[in-house]
């Protein structure tokens, strides 16, 4: 959780047992999203206290690298961070924009935002500092979809670009041990393989000053990781991590804690229930700068793990005995902190004693005669410890800090009130309290009262209200940027100062004065019916404070018209929405191609042409994506039979039905009652959405009803499934077995050659004549989870494969069954159709028109 909105680098919660918080001072190099509030839970104090003091006795660090959110080795991260107190980093390449979505229809950047927030929440649970190589929306390190090779991945990302980001993270975080999540194997996702290749290279290159020397000019120093480990198995390994060990303070094993974090990846269906009992994760030592044995007790054999170990290393340098004594004292301090647990006041006393000694050690190291590289290492580790002590002090003193704006939705030029408060819930008197609000450059923050206080006693609160003015040219909200409002609360306990950095409970966003959404947001202009108008509804949300007025108009392609040309809207208050309707007509001769219509809102002060997509789920809170208020149009010829009625069984992962309605198909979404008891014969076609058998529990027991529907003359279209989606070959009228491993049964090159094996089949001829051109301009993939075996009754519609690989012929199968037709397709329609790929829409219309083709 976020206690009082305190921004911490890796702690949260997912269930009452595992409540935690984010870190008090961000260590250099961490890239986090704005924190989102979690509810308070009853069981938290002593567990949070333990989480904050456990790292104080450990000076070692480890980094786990992965490609996508949910790639992290969660159980090992929990073991290292929560179990051993290791300073633990998770570095992920991209935001997962190319993945699937099991909780909604968001894809692309909106899905990337969801998955990033899920990753942040997961990282809090394991108390891990999260780093992202992808730094902004549409970053070059983008999840462009499934890849089978390192070469293709680096071609998209830019090899030097991605590698510079990884080297920079290593030099910022200075891990002792680094562990890529995957091996470079042919059966592995190309993105996973790429992170392995880059991590293995970076193990040495991060220490080479000639690699990206510009980083050194900007203050970073080369860093030699001491050990590189790769994933292994029980047959051959160097170290086994006992993730099944049960920790009685957390009331769970590290596997269970890791899975607790994985449950946050809800959009990917992650997380599993694990029983108690011994288990281990295995790793091989790929490279090392220290002497190692064949079998090791831990990743840190031969590496300084405690202050005592560090003192021995410094002692061997033979240059400064004072530093050795400082480190030995810190070893004693850390032991005293742990010994004082769970007495909050005594822990606070020992924490502040240790903090004083850390400050002394920092001063001594700076003035010492040690080699510069040794000094840099000591200063980094001591500064990490100082930040951890700030967090431990906050927990031990039971200090609750909050930053509460009167609104989290701002517009440029607005003034808002922000209250910064500090509550003392413990028995330690806190003195010399300073409440400072930090705002971006160009913003103004004026305190309406005193910001300094002599003391806060038990159960007392001090606060200050700031009047914050957003400049007229303020940058709009960016979902991957650091919070734009933070507060630094400084206080003294036991005569030693400590600082807590806090953030608001929810994201504070600068949004357009008027946010517009166009309905539809993407549509087809049918050149066979060029005289038909496009109805466009513009919904406008007022984000300006109070009442306002605006005129709404459309920017149109040349020669197009809209009626009316402009509409006026009036708002009584902030947050109110109004809708206006336009009738848009194309020019006299609209050519095949892409077109765009954008909405504009104007008044005497501002002009807006953007929309705000609010992304909100209980497990990640609310965030925003600002993008152009645009209607994308694809013009092409499309024949659609009249009076075609389709029943659509949605799995919740696609919105193909919406696009079918736009082109004139009568589509009815079928609920569970309709599937189990309704009259299915009224539908010319029934379509099952992707993976529907997994997410519509009524389908398996109703499958015979669907097959009878086909046998009696219906047309059933089934989109792709995974074997784990409860798919069984006998669900189809003639068996269809999906190929495994799934990673090998897909076509990832959207430009790969497609051969139509049955060009005379009705699917390729009615009502639209399909040609080779209809396979052009596809995006991301061709197909996923292709069948490996199928009954001879099916007609193989296409042959297609990635270049240099054997082609699949089970991607698109269709067979007569009784009086009807059954079609199974692994083509990724759910990506192509919302992106208005003409050939995909023409073929889908043909698929759902097979009943009509019989009479034509």
């Amino acid at each position: 959780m976020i206690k009082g909105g305190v921004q911490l680098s890796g702690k949260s919660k997912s269930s009452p047992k595992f409540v935690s918080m984010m870190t008090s001072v961000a260590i250099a190099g961490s890239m986090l999203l704005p924190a989102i509030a979690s509810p308070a839970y009853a069981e938290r104090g002593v567990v949070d206290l333990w989480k904050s003091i456990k790292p104080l006795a450990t000076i070692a660090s480890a980094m786990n690298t992965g490609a996508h959110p949910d790639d992290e080795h969660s159980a090992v991260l929990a073991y290292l961070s929560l179990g051993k107190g290791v300073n633990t980093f998770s570095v992920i390449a991209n935001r997962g924009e190319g993945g699937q979505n099991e909780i909604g229809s968001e894809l692309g950047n909106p899905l990337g935002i969801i998955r990033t927030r899920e990753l942040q929440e997961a990282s809090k649970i394991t108390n891990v500092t999260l780093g992202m190589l992808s730094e902004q929306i549409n970053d070059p390190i983008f999840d462009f979809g499934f890849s089978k090779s390192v070469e293709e991945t680096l071609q998209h990302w830019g090899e030097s670009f991605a590698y510079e980001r990884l080297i920079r993270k290593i030099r910022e975080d200075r891990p002792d041990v680094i562990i890529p999540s995957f091996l470079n194997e042919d059966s592995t996702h190309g993105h996973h393989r790429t992170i392995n290749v880059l991590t293995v290279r970076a193990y040495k290159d991060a220490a080479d000053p000639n690699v990206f020397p510009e980083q050194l000019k900007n203050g970073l120093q080369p860093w030699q990781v001491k050990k590189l480990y790769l994933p292994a198995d029980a047959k051959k390994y160097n170290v086994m991590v006992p993730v099944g060990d049960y920790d009685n303070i957390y009331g769970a094993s590290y596997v269970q804690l890791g899975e607790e974090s994985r449950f946050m990846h809800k959009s990917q269906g992650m997380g599993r229930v694990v029983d108690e009992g011994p288990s281990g994760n295995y790793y091989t030592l790929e490279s090392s700068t220290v002497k190692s044995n064949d079998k090791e007790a831990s990743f840190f054999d031969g590496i300084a793990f405690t202050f005592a170990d560090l003192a021995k290393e410094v002692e061997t340098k033979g240059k400064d005995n004072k530093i050795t004594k400082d480190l030995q004292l810190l070893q004693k301090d850390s032991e005293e902190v742990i010994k004082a647990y769970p007495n909050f006041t005594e822990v606070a006393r020992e924490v502040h004693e240790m903090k004083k000694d850390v400050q002394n050690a920092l001063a001594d190291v700076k003035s010492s005669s040690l080699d510069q590289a040794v000094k840099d290492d000591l200063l980094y580790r001591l500064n990490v410890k100082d930040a951890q002590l700030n967090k431990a002090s906050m927990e031990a003193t039971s200090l609750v800090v909050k930053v509460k704006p009167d609104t989290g939705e701002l517009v440029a030029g607005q003034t808002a009130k922000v209250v910064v408060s500090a509550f003392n819930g413990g028995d330690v008197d806190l003195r010399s309290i300073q409440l400072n609000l930090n705002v971006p450059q160009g913003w103004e923050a004026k305190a309406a009262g005193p910001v300094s206080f002599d003391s806060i006693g038990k159960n007392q609160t001090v606060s200050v209200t700031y009047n914050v003015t957003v400049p007229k040219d303020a940058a709009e909200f960016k979902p991957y940027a650091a919070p734009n409002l933070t507060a630094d609360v400084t206080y003294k306990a036991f005569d030693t100062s400590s600082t807590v950095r806090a953030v608001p409970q929810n994201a504070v966003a600068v949004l357009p004065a008027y946010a517009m959404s166009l309905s539809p947001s993407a549509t087809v202009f049918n050149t066979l019916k060029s005289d038909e108008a496009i109805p466009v509804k513009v919904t406008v949300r007022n984000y300006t404070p109070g009442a306002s007025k605006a005129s709404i108009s459309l920017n149109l392609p040349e020669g197009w018209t809209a009626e009316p040309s402009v509409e006026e809207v009036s708002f009584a208050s902030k947050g109110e929405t109004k809708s206006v309707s336009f009738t848009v007509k194309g020019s006299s001769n609209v050519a095949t191609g892409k077109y765009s219509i954008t909405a504009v809102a104007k008044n005497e002060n501002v002009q807006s042409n953007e929309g705000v997509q609010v992304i909100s789920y209980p497990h990640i809170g609310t965030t925003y994506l600002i993008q152009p208020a645009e209607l994308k149009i694809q013009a092409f010829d499309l024949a659609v039979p009249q009076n075609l009625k389709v029943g659509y069984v949605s799995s919740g992962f696609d919105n193909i039905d919406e696009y079918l309605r736009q082109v004139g198909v009568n589509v009815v979404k079928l609920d569970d009652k309709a599937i189990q008891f309704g009259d299915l014969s009224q539908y010319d076609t029934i379509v099952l959405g992707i993976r529907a058998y997994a997410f519509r529990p009524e389908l398996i027991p109703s499958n015979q009803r669907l097959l009878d529907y086909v046998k009696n003359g219906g047309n059933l279209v089934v989109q792709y499934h995974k074997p784990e989606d409860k798919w069984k070959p006998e669900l189809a009228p003639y068996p269809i077995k999906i190929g495994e491993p799934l990673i090998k049964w897909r076509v990832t090159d959207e430009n790969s050659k497609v051969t139509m094996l049955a060009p005379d089949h009705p699917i390729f001829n009615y009502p639209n004549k399909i040609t080779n051109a209809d396979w052009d301009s596809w995006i991301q993939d061709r197909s996923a989870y292709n069948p490996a075996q199928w009954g001879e009754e099916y007609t193989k519609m296409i042959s297609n494969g990635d270049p240099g690989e054997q082609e699949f012929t089970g991607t698109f199968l269709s067979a007569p069954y009784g009086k009807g037709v059954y079609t199974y397709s692994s083509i990724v329609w759910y990506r192509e159709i919302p992106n208005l790929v003409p050939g995909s829409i023409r073929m889908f219309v043909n698929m759902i028109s097979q009943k009509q083709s019989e009479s034509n």
Side-chain angles (χ1 to χ4, degrees):
M1 64 170 285
I2 301 170
K3 180 182 285 186
V6 176
Q7 183 186 13
L8 304 167
S9 65
K11 300 186 70 172
S12 162
K13 99 88 316 338
S14 177
S15 72
K17 196 115 181 169
F18 310 126
V19 178
S20 53
M21 304 171 32
M22 302 168 36
T23 109
S24 55
V25 176
I27 303 299
S30 65
M31 288 194 61
L32 300 176
L33 283 175
I36 304 297
S38 296
Y41 291 92
E43 300 176 16
R44 56 177 177 264
V46 292
V47 175
D48 283 346
L49 180 62
W50 179 252
K51 286 182 178 180
S52 72
I53 66 173
K54 182 65 176 176
L56 298 179
T58 308
I59 53 88
S61 58
M63 177 181 286
N64 178 211
T65 60
H68 316 95
D70 78 28
D71 280 352
E72 62 271 25
H73 282 196
S74 305
V76 172
L77 295 179
Y79 174 83
L80 291 173
S81 177
L82 301 178
K84 296 300 178 183
V86 170
N87 190 23
T88 308
F89 302 94
S90 174
V91 174
I92 301 298
N94 62 49
R95 308 278 174 166
E97 301 95 337
Q100 301 176 38
N101 185 355
E102 293 193 4
I103 60 174
S105 60
E106 296 93 346
L107 295 174
N109 280 324
L111 176 59
I113 293 171
I114 291 171
R115 295 189 67 182
T116 302
R117 285 289 301 117
E118 290 177 335
L119 176 61
Q120 184 187 12
E121 294 301 314
S123 298
K124 294 175 194 175
I125 291 171
T126 50
N127 201 26
V128 167
T129 300
L130 173 63
M132 303 294 299
L133 301 189
S134 171
E135 296 178 353
Q136 57 191 342
I137 293 290
N138 296 323
D139 194 278
I141 307 176
F142 192 84
D143 181 5
F144 56 88
F146 192 88
S147 172
K148 293 181 179 177
S149 72
V150 174
E151 293 75 19
E152 182 194 22
T153 301
L154 291 177
Q155 184 179 4
H156 279 80
W157 291 357
E159 181 171 356
S160 179
F161 185 88
Y163 196 45
E164 188 275 336
R165 292 265 180 95
L166 179 59
I167 292 288
R168 175 151 47 94
K169 290 303 299 177
I170 292 172
R171 288 173 173 172
E172 287 173 348
D173 297 337
R174 301 166 72 93
D176 296 314
V177 171
I178 195 164
I179 312 158
S181 288
F182 298 94
L183 297 172
N184 180 19
E185 296 178 328
D186 290 343
S187 61
T188 303
H189 194 320
H191 298 180
H192 298 164
R193 297 175 65 187
T194 299
I195 289 302
N196 171 282
V197 169
L198 295 181
T199 302
V200 170
R201 282 172 50 191
Y203 168 75
K204 290 184 178 179
D205 283 353
D208 186 347
N210 297 311
V211 176
F212 301 117
E214 65 276 11
Q215 293 181 354
L216 278 61
K217 296 177 183 178
N218 293 328
L220 287 177
Q221 295 299 319
W223 176 249
Q224 178 59 66
V225 180
K226 297 176 179 64
K227 287 184 176 183
L228 167 67
Y229 287 92
L230 300 180
D233 56 39
K235 296 178 181 178
K236 185 179 180 181
Y237 68 95
N238 297 109
V239 63
M240 187 274 284
V241 182
V243 294
D245 284 2
Y246 192 87
D247 191 310
N248 55 17
I249 289 181
Y250 301 117
S253 70
Y254 301 110
V255 173
Q256 292 171 325
L257 291 168
E259 289 302 316
E260 195 73 19
S261 76
R262 297 196 71 73
F263 273 112
M264 296 308 299
H265 296 289
K266 295 184 187 301
S267 69
Q268 305 306 297
M270 293 293 171
R272 59 195 176 96
V273 176
V274 180
D275 289 333
E276 295 75 11
S279 63
N281 280 27
Y282 299 88
Y283 297 88
T284 56
L285 180 61
E286 179 72 5
S287 298
S288 178
T289 63
V290 299
K291 185 178 179 180
S292 303
N293 298 317
D294 180 57
K295 286 292 186 289
E296 299 179 308
S298 81
F299 291 135
F300 302 98
D301 284 10
I303 298 175
F305 192 76
T306 65
F307 281 108
D309 297 333
L310 200 56
K312 290 177 182 177
E313 286 190 359
V314 172
E315 192 173 23
T316 63
K317 311 294 181 184
K319 287 188 175 182
D320 201 321
N321 188 48
K322 189 175 185 181
I323 304 303
T324 302
K325 291 181 178 179
D326 285 342
L327 297 174
Q328 291 169 341
L329 178 58
L330 289 174
Q331 175 68 34
K332 181 181 178 183
D333 286 341
S334 65
E335 293 170 355
E336 292 297 324
V337 172
I338 299 298
K339 185 179 178 181
Y341 179 82
N343 186 308
F344 280 73
T345 301
E346 289 306 310
V347 169
R349 186 188 309 276
E350 297 297 340
V351 161
H352 278 263
E353 183 65 32
M354 185 174 181
K355 189 168 177 61
K356 184 187 303 182
D357 291 339
V358 166
Q359 294 296 329
N360 291 336
L362 281 165
D364 290 343
V365 170
K366 290 175 183 177
S367 62
S368 74
S369 58
L370 291 168
D371 294 340
Q372 190 59 47
V374 177
K375 291 175 69 170
D376 289 341
D377 183 51
L378 288 172
L379 291 172
Y380 177 81
R381 295 181 193 272
L382 289 169
N383 278 316
V384 167
K385 210 54 56 182
D386 189 61
Q388 291 172 343
L389 285 161
N390 282 336
K391 179 180 178 181
S393 170
M394 180 192 67
E395 292 290 354
T397 59
S398 297
L399 177 67
V400 180
V401 176
K402 294 182 180 180
V403 184
K404 298 173 67 174
D406 59 8
T407 177
E409 297 175 341
L410 305 171
V411 297
Q414 180 179 348
T415 296
K417 295 185 183 299
V418 180
V419 177
V420 180
S421 64
F423 168 79
N424 182 0
D427 294 322
V428 178
D429 283 340
L430 306 180
R431 301 186 177 279
S432 303
I433 299 93
Q434 188 86 15
L435 307 178
N436 294 319
L437 183 68
N438 307 310
V439 297
Q441 186 174 1
W443 293 38
E444 290 186 359
K446 296 182 178 180
V451 299
S452 299
F453 302 88
D454 292 335
S455 65
I456 320 177
K458 182 179 176 65
N459 286 330
Q460 291 183 345
T461 301
V462 293
S463 65
V464 58
T465 298
Y466 282 87
N467 293 310
V468 175
T469 301
V470 183
K472 293 182 179 179
D473 60 350
E476 291 180 331
F477 178 76
K478 294 179 173 58
Y480 299 151
N484 49 28
L485 292 181
T486 64
D488 287 332
V489 175
T490 302
Y491 60 95
K492 278 189 176 182
F494 304 102
D495 297 323
T496 306
S497 292
S498 188
T499 299
V500 171
R501 172 158 289 181
V503 299
Q505 292 270 359
N506 292 291
V508 176
V510 177
L511 302 174
Y514 303 102
M516 293 164 291
S517 62
L518 282 72
S519 179
S521 59
T523 195
V524 171
F525 184 95
N526 192 346
T527 54
L528 298 180
K529 301 178 180 179
S530 58
D531 57 336
E532 287 191 354
I534 302 174
V536 178
K537 183 172 77 171
V538 180
T539 300
V540 190
R541 186 179 182 88
N542 175 36
Y543 283 109
T544 63
S548 68
K549 294 182 179 180
S551 61
I552 312 300
S553 60
L554 299 178
N555 283 336
L556 301 168
E558 186 176 357
W560 292 45
T561 62
E563 286 290 339
S565 59
V566 64
E567 281 276 22
E568 303 292 330
V569 292
S570 298
F571 300 100
S573 60
K574 177 180 178 178
E576 188 178 359
T577 61
K578 292 286 182 70
S579 293
V580 294
S581 296
F582 298 88
T583 300
V584 175
K585 290 188 176 181
S587 61
S588 59
N589 187 18
V590 176
T592 296
K594 297 180 183 294
Y595 299 87
S596 176
I597 294 174
T598 56
V600 181
K602 294 181 182 179
N603 64 22
E604 62 275 12
N605 299 314
V606 297
Q607 175 173 314
S608 297
N609 59 1
E610 293 174 312
V612 175
Q613 182 174 353
V614 181
I615 299 171
S616 184
Y617 288 94
H619 67 302
I620 60 171
T622 299
T623 185
Y624 309 89
L625 175 62
I626 300 173
Q627 49 198 341
E630 181 182 26
L631 164 57
K632 295 179 180 179
I633 300 173
Q634 178 71 54
F636 61 94
D637 63 287
L638 177 67
V640 181
Q642 291 186 348
N643 303 318
L644 180 61
K645 187 175 183 181
V646 173
Y648 202 93
V649 183
S650 175
S651 55
F653 302 158
D654 69 72
N655 51 5
I656 289 176
D657 56 311
E658 295 179 14
Y659 292 90
L660 294 177
R661 289 188 191 93
Q662 288 180 26
V663 300
V665 179
N666 178 12
V667 183
V668 178
K669 272 195 173 181
L670 302 184
D671 60 18
D672 57 345
K673 291 182 179 179
I675 293 167
Q676 295 177 90
F677 311 113
D679 176 15
L680 301 182
S681 66
Q682 65 181 297
Y683 302 104
D684 298 304
T685 298
I686 294 175
V687 179
L688 304 191
I690 58 170
R691 307 181 63 195
Y693 282 103
F695 296 92
R696 295 293 296 269
E698 71 276 14
L699 281 181
I700 297 285
S702 300
N703 193 63
Q704 189 57 51
R705 291 195 84 228
L706 294 174
L707 295 182
D708 290 342
Y709 158 80
V710 181
K711 187 181 291 185
N712 294 327
N715 180 33
L716 181 63
V717 173
V718 180
Q719 298 180 68
Y720 76 69
H721 282 73
K722 297 180 181 181
E724 59 262 34
D725 293 335
K726 304 174 185 175
W727 177 264
K728 295 180 180 180
E730 57 268 24
L731 288 173
Y734 313 112
I736 294 176
K737 183 179 179 181
I738 300 168
E740 295 184 89
L742 297 177
I743 196 170
K744 292 188 174 183
W745 291 85
R746 60 195 304 164
V747 180
T748 63
D749 185 347
E750 63 271 32
N751 299 310
S752 56
K753 182 175 182 278
V754 177
T755 301
M756 289 183 283
L757 300 177
D760 295 330
H761 193 282
I763 279 181
F764 293 140
N765 290 277
Y766 180 83
N768 299 282
K769 177 65 177 177
I770 303 302
T771 69
N772 289 333
D774 285 297
W775 298 101
D776 294 340
S777 303
W778 287 50
I779 65 158
Q780 190 160 321
D781 297 313
R782 289 285 195 197
S783 61
Y785 319 128
N786 284 300
Q789 298 175 19
W790 53 90
E792 61 182 13
E793 294 85 354
Y794 292 102
T795 298
K796 296 175 288 188
M797 307 302 297
I798 67 170
S799 176
N800 174 235
D802 284 321
E805 296 184 3
Q806 183 175 351
E807 294 193 347
F808 300 115
T809 57
T811 299
F812 201 175
L813 302 170
S814 188
Y817 181 64
K819 298 178 182 179
V821 178
Y822 181 96
T823 301
Y824 185 95
S825 173
S826 297
I827 292 173
V828 289
W829 307 107
Y830 81 104
R831 292 196 188 278
E832 309 307 320
I833 290 175
N835 281 278
L836 305 179
V837 175
S840 72
I841 298 173
R842 285 159 52 83
M843 270 183 277
F844 207 95
V845 168
N846 283 13
M847 269 200 307
I848 62 176
S849 302
Q850 290 307 286
K851 190 170 181 178
Q852 283 73 8
S853 71
E854 298 172 0
S855 57
N856 286 273

